[in-house]
Amino acid sequence: MHYLLIYDTAPDYLERRGEFRDVHLAFAWQAVERGELLLGGATGNPPDGAVLLFEADSPEVPSAFAKADPYVLNGIVTGWQVKAWNTVVGAQASTPVRPAATAPR
């Protein structure tokens, strides 16, 4: 199953993230190496949040990530939520659904 971890960031996120960025990135790459985190990054330009895509058996995996993330622990991320994402289209969809043979093209 795919899960989105959605971060709300502090208004001074850009100014403060430098202090914790390397440890946050190392933490995220460890999750990648475990096969949990597929993609992650800031949203907006300038950044106003972040989204991380997890593949896991339970929402506890992204929740545990957030609870231990240096950005969360140091108040750079001010809030977060995990949403199940029922992916149905694409090579990495967790539950692929193909159109019926009679579907219009």
Side-chain angles (χ1 to χ4, degrees):
M1 181 72 180
H2 287 127
Y3 295 93
L4 295 173
L5 174 58
I6 303 166
Y7 278 171
D8 299 320
T9 53
D12 59 352
Y13 164 77
L14 283 178
E15 294 81 25
R16 295 182 51 217
R17 78 174 176 178
E19 180 180 356
F20 305 102
R21 192 166 198 203
D22 281 345
V23 69
H24 162 78
L25 289 172
F27 183 68
W29 280 105
Q30 290 170 357
V32 170
E33 291 166 6
R34 289 190 303 271
E36 299 166 352
L37 179 58
L38 302 179
L39 294 169
T43 58
N45 189 15
D48 58 1
V51 176
L52 297 93
L53 172 59
F54 285 80
E55 185 170 36
D57 294 331
S58 158
E60 292 307 313
V61 172
S63 292
F65 179 94
K67 291 174 186 175
D69 185 348
Y71 279 3
V72 173
L73 296 175
N74 290 286
I76 295 168
V77 169
T78 58
W80 57 271
Q81 62 177 312
V82 174
K83 288 192 172 193
W85 188 21
N86 186 26
T87 53
V88 297
V89 175
Q92 295 176 330
S94 61
T95 52
V97 176
R98 297 282 180 177
T102 58
R105 294 181 189 227

